[in-house]
Amino acid sequence: MSIYKVNVKFGKEVFKDVEVDTSQPIESFLVLLYSLSSVPPEGQKVMIPRSGTLKVDAEWSKYKLKNGATWMLVGTAEEKKIVAPTEKVIFAEDLTPEQLGTMKVTRYPAGLVNLGNTCYLNSTLQMLLSAPELRRSVDNTSGAPAAQPNARVLHALRSLCQLIDRSDESALPLAFLAVFRDVFPQFGEQDGAGRYAQQDADEAFQSLMQCLMHGSALAGPALDRAASESGTPGSNIVAQLFSGEMESVLKCVESEAEPESSSPGDTFYKLSCHIDEKTNYLHDGLSSGLKEHITKNAATLGRDAVFEKSSRISRLPFYLCIQFVRFWWNQKAQVKAKISRPVEFPFRLDMLPYCSEGLRARLLPVRRALAAYELEEDRKRKEEKSKKGAAAAADEAVEGAGDKMDTGEEG
């Protein structure tokens, strides 16, 4: 799996550094070109040097791809017409409460107010609460707040959810923040001016997951079938929704005589995208995170040696959490520093390259069936669009003939 950047020449225009993601089908690239050129995918002709014309049903491996190469796009762009709305647009903000009560208006969840460097916590809460199964389980928590720290956070979270439901605008998470900082004092750190310091969202994520994992009130909720099959039946809902399993192999890099060892079922709740000066894409960081070097005793050498630990996913979670590792300890300055390097990621992440052979064998048949279904649906859409175009052309021809008859013109 590789990503290339090419230049695409279209008439007098040149689109610079267009990304070619070979993990995605060619059709996805044609859709990207459509967004740049307004040439519909079915009307595009893309010519690649020394490879010929790009075919939608071909594989990327058939083409000679090279960074910085210039490809040629030929086709007719669609006309972009601005059409006035046929009906007057009515905004929800202009309606009275009585009108709102009689209309079906889409209501989006309220946001959370930043209370001074609390974006790390707000984003983590919104990410976790976007899982409807977890949200239902938190809402169904019963009983008065207990003295145990985990239970205090859980009940404060339930109260915050109720506040969000009642709010039309952004909610103030004051009560939850107070409990959270009391249970986890490290998030109450302040600078010399009394301002709360920036914190790592991953640390907040781990702290929240710890509370949810040990919250007995979250055990055994009603889950849908897919979530139950993905996780461990009968376990805490967090384990059912967010846990996966990893199989790892340890190989000594200093001695081939040292036998390999394997670990078949290590549980994980997130994957880490490690970021350094060479990380440009999400898959770079994920691949780096699945390989690491550790030091342990090598029996054949009679001393500590360096081992390479290679991991592959043997069971995917229902919801996959990925951490962008942006904080590191600056030893020289003795401070926690943040890496602000931009890292690109796809809207549809293919996890097959990170899976074990056993999991791949189970996923591939479903993957092929899904691809065939999507191709068939796309064929139907194109066919329907073609029929509508032909019908519209026929209607225009009939109207033209009628106009000639009305004016007495002869063909």
Side-chain angles (χ1 to χ4, degrees):
M1 179 178 65
S2 300
I3 294 181
Y4 300 86
K5 287 190 176 182
V6 300
N7 303 318
V8 179
K9 187 175 184 350
F10 174 57
K12 295 181 180 180
E13 291 184 274
V14 177
F15 306 116
K16 297 284 189 179
D17 295 329
V18 180
E19 188 175 288
V20 180
D21 188 349
T22 58
S23 68
Q24 302 295 324
I26 290 177
E27 187 176 9
S28 298
F29 177 72
L30 299 182
V31 171
L32 174 60
L33 290 184
Y34 176 45
S35 68
L36 297 172
S37 65
S38 297
V39 179
E42 60 271 15
Q44 295 177 11
K45 183 177 181 181
V46 182
M47 290 171 283
I48 303 176
R50 297 182 300 165
S51 294
T53 305
L54 188 65
K55 302 293 184 184
V56 69
D57 55 351
E59 298 290 337
W60 284 112
S61 57
K62 294 183 179 180
Y63 300 96
K64 298 178 179 178
L65 306 182
K66 181 181 178 182
N67 281 316
T70 299
W71 296 5
M72 183 76 70
L73 170 63
V74 178
T76 303
E78 292 180 336
E79 293 185 9
K80 298 181 178 179
K81 297 180 180 179
I82 301 177
V83 181
T86 57
E87 298 180 2
K88 183 180 178 181
V89 179
I90 301 175
F91 297 96
E93 292 82 357
D94 300 327
L95 299 177
T96 64
E98 292 76 16
Q99 290 173 320
L100 283 172
T102 60
M103 297 182 65
K104 185 178 180 181
V105 180
T106 301
R107 186 179 184 278
Y108 295 98
L112 296 173
V113 177
N114 190 328
L115 299 175
N117 282 338
T118 59
C119 51
Y120 70 94
L121 182 60
N122 290 356
S123 59
T124 304
L125 286 168
Q126 289 172 318
M127 182 270 292
L128 287 173
L129 295 177
S130 66
E133 300 87 355
L134 179 62
R135 176 64 189 272
R136 286 196 299 268
S137 186
V138 172
D139 288 338
N140 292 333
T141 302
S142 59
Q148 292 82 1
N150 294 330
R152 290 181 59 202
V153 173
L154 178 57
H155 283 274
L157 183 59
R158 182 191 61 177
S159 299
L160 177 60
C161 290
Q162 294 171 349
L163 176 62
I164 292 173
D165 289 339
R166 295 193 304 266
S167 302
D168 293 325
E169 299 180 353
S170 297
L172 281 167
L174 285 168
F176 178 83
L177 184 61
V179 173
F180 188 72
R181 283 175 172 164
D182 186 46
V183 174
F184 301 103
Q186 67 268 29
F187 295 104
E189 179 187 355
Q190 298 180 357
D191 60 18
R195 294 169 298 196
Y196 285 102
Q198 286 190 1
Q199 301 289 344
D200 187 359
D202 179 61
E203 293 181 7
F205 170 78
Q206 292 188 56
S207 299
L208 284 170
M209 292 290 274
Q210 171 190 324
C211 295
L212 296 174
M213 278 290 293
H214 294 88
S216 58
L218 289 181
L223 300 178
D224 58 35
R225 181 180 177 184
S228 298
E229 291 179 352
S230 174
T232 305
S235 62
N236 180 281
I237 187 175
V238 175
Q240 294 187 45
L241 294 178
F242 298 100
S243 72
E245 290 184 357
M246 196 91 67
E247 59 182 42
S248 306
V249 175
L250 274 175
K251 182 179 180 181
C252 182
V253 298
E254 298 184 33
S255 172
E256 294 184 359
E258 183 72 17
E260 293 184 358
S261 61
S262 60
S263 177
D266 296 328
T267 302
F268 70 91
Y269 289 88
K270 65 171 184 176
L271 294 181
S272 298
C273 173
H274 292 273
I275 302 174
D276 57 25
E277 68 278 359
K278 297 180 180 179
T279 307
N280 295 313
Y281 304 98
L282 174 61
H283 70 86
D284 296 332
L286 287 178
S287 299
S288 174
L290 292 174
K291 280 191 176 182
E292 60 178 322
H293 288 88
I294 62 175
T295 302
K296 64 185 293 285
N297 183 265
T300 57
L301 298 176
R303 59 174 175 83
D304 286 347
V306 177
F307 285 74
E308 182 182 74
K309 182 180 180 180
S310 301
S311 302
R312 284 291 179 267
I313 300 170
S314 56
R315 179 175 64 81
L316 283 163
F318 189 70
Y319 291 108
L320 175 64
C321 298
I322 297 178
Q323 176 205 2
F324 280 52
V325 185
R326 293 194 173 277
F327 281 91
W328 63 286
W329 181 253
N330 187 326
Q331 187 67 31
K332 184 177 180 180
Q334 291 292 298
V335 295
K336 187 189 293 183
K338 184 176 181 180
I339 304 171
S340 300
R341 182 182 182 86
V343 177
E344 296 184 23
F345 57 90
F347 290 105
R348 187 174 183 177
L349 180 60
D350 183 6
M351 293 302 298
L352 198 68
Y354 314 105
C355 295
S356 65
E357 293 299 325
L359 183 54
R360 288 189 188 191
R362 297 197 300 272
L363 292 178
L364 279 173
V366 180
R367 181 190 181 96
R368 294 191 185 103
L370 181 60
Y373 171 79
E374 291 178 343
L375 285 174
E376 178 62 18
E377 290 297 305
D378 185 59
R379 184 194 66 78
K380 290 179 180 179
R381 284 194 296 270
K382 290 179 180 178
E383 184 177 328
E384 185 66 23
K385 184 178 180 181
S386 178
K387 287 180 180 179
K388 288 181 179 179
D395 290 342
E396 290 178 3
V398 171
E399 290 176 3
D403 291 341
K404 289 184 178 180
M405 292 177 64
D406 293 338
T407 56
E409 295 181 11
E410 296 183 358

